[in-house]
Amino acid sequence: MPERAASTAPGNAQHAILDDFDSRPGSATSLIRTVLGAYRHELGGWVAIAELVELMLPLGVAAEATRIAVTRLKRRGVLESAARDGRPGYQLTAQAEAMYARGDRRIFEFRRMADDDPWRLISFTLPESLRAARHQLRRRLGWIGCGTVSPGLWIAPGYLTEEIGDIVAALQLTEYVTTFRCDGLSVPDTPADAAARWWDLDEIATRHREFLARHGATLRGARELTPPEAFVKFALLLDEWRIIPYIDPGLPPSMLPADWPGENSVGLLAAARDSCFASSRHWVRGLRDRRDGDLTASLAAHGLPR
């Protein structure tokens, strides 16, 4: 049976989706988003500007670039100003917390279909007066890993159903979109040929290979890394990885080329998390817990008010 896309609570639609792709990996804004997402629990959901500057300096982000990026993140609804114990700083918005919770599942628990897993079909026809909304719908569906069967018919693994509903509701297009559960596909050639038509597998494979080439040596001697070194290695690796689990839908092996690099890059991320994440989290927590003497010195070094 067809299912109408789910809606969100009134007033929340415009904030239901916060784009994870509006910042180029390696940029100051992207790195801060990555650090805030990965270490938000250690930071307590709040950070003083001086502490954030300290976190970003080892990643090659200057103090002024951090301040500029924070302004951008406030404008995008990721951060909001908040004082604690008389200290100015920033906390994650409720929408950002929800975004990061979804991201944790996607980024750290990479999902892969089996051949008999269900699909979700997304059918829509929008009038010309909603051309901009149609463009946004296609753009966002592509961002979360949906494939294009035809301009008005898209396909995705069944586990993306909730995210698809969130996108449709956020764009206020529920009356134009119908989704279907599909338990099997019949194509004129092979499943692998169909996947190559519906997704840009070459682009996805290139992302995986570039990730492996850039970070494949990250774990050499990783167990001897100091906590700050582990933080730098893991944050840089995660900042590039975080895009991949969105554009790669996790297709079943029967739909992928024999030399598909995805399994290797998933393994690299898992190994980096095992070897670097715990010690780097401890280091970040220590920064937050520094006493006034260390904090005052850090503030003075960067010309920031207490």
Side-chain angles (χ1 to χ4, degrees):
M1 294 289 293
E3 300 173 13
R4 288 290 176 185
S7 62
T8 57
N12 287 337
Q14 62 181 328
H15 299 299
I17 303 295
L18 290 172
D19 297 340
D20 271 301
F21 304 92
D22 54 4
S23 304
R24 175 180 52 82
S27 67
T29 304
S30 178
L31 283 166
I32 291 174
R33 288 183 70 145
T34 295
V35 168
L36 290 174
Y39 300 97
R40 65 189 184 280
H41 300 302
E42 286 65 41
L43 294 169
W46 179 91
V47 64
I49 186 64
E51 293 167 342
L52 187 56
V53 165
E54 240 185 301
L55 280 171
M56 302 314 297
L57 282 174
L59 300 177
V61 181
E64 183 60 24
T66 293
R67 285 191 285 266
I68 292 171
V70 164
T71 299
R72 290 181 182 141
L73 291 172
K74 284 181 64 180
R75 194 163 55 239
R76 292 171 182 170
V78 177
L79 291 173
E80 59 189 5
S81 298
R84 289 193 183 178
D85 300 324
R87 296 170 56 196
Y90 301 92
Q91 66 185 14
L92 296 173
T93 64
Q95 292 80 25
E97 287 280 9
M99 175 190 73
Y100 282 130
R102 290 194 304 269
D104 283 350
R105 295 190 295 271
R106 180 71 78 96
I107 292 168
F108 292 118
E109 302 171 15
F110 188 83
R111 296 169 290 186
R112 186 175 302 284
M113 293 184 71
D115 285 322
D116 57 351
D117 283 347
W119 296 91
R120 178 64 49 169
L121 299 180
I122 309 104
S123 175
F124 56 89
T125 302
L126 275 68
E128 191 62 19
S129 60
L130 294 177
R131 177 190 293 183
R134 183 172 61 226
H135 170 74
Q136 284 296 318
L137 176 60
R138 290 172 176 167
R139 182 170 174 246
R140 290 173 184 266
L141 290 177
W143 274 357
I144 67 166
C146 300
T148 310
V149 180
S150 66
L153 181 64
W154 288 56
I155 185 170
Y159 47 66
L160 293 180
T161 297
E162 182 178 351
E163 293 181 51
I164 293 165
D166 287 344
I167 288 172
V168 174
L171 294 173
Q172 300 180 353
L173 296 176
T174 54
E175 65 181 292
Y176 300 101
V177 180
T178 302
T179 74
F180 304 82
R181 175 188 166 109
C182 175
D183 291 317
L185 301 175
S186 178
V187 295
D189 34 28
T190 69
D193 291 329
R197 287 194 303 273
W198 300 341
W199 285 272
D200 189 346
L201 295 184
D202 289 340
E203 168 62 20
I204 298 171
T206 295
R207 290 270 196 167
H208 280 295
R209 293 191 177 103
E210 289 177 347
F211 173 75
L212 287 165
R214 217 174 332 264
H215 300 283
T218 292
L219 301 186
R220 274 183 215 142
R223 298 197 180 277
E224 289 75 41
L225 292 174
T226 65
E229 290 171 337
F231 168 77
V232 170
K233 284 188 176 290
F234 189 70
L236 293 175
L237 178 147
L238 185 62
D239 188 57
E240 184 169 352
W241 165 260
R242 69 180 179 87
I243 304 296
I244 295 175
Y246 284 89
I247 64 171
D248 185 341
L251 298 177
S254 64
M255 299 185 77
L256 296 172
D259 60 347
W260 187 250
E263 186 174 348
N264 290 335
S265 62
V266 170
L268 175 59
L269 185 279
R273 184 183 186 185
D274 291 344
S275 61
C276 297
F277 199 26
S279 62
S280 66
R281 290 173 70 184
H282 180 75
W283 180 71
V284 171
R285 192 179 302 113
L287 286 182
R288 186 195 66 186
D289 295 339
R290 280 187 175 179
R291 303 313 256 163
D292 283 351
D294 290 333
L295 176 60
T296 301
S298 174
L299 290 167
H302 302 298
L304 299 169
R306 193 183 188 298

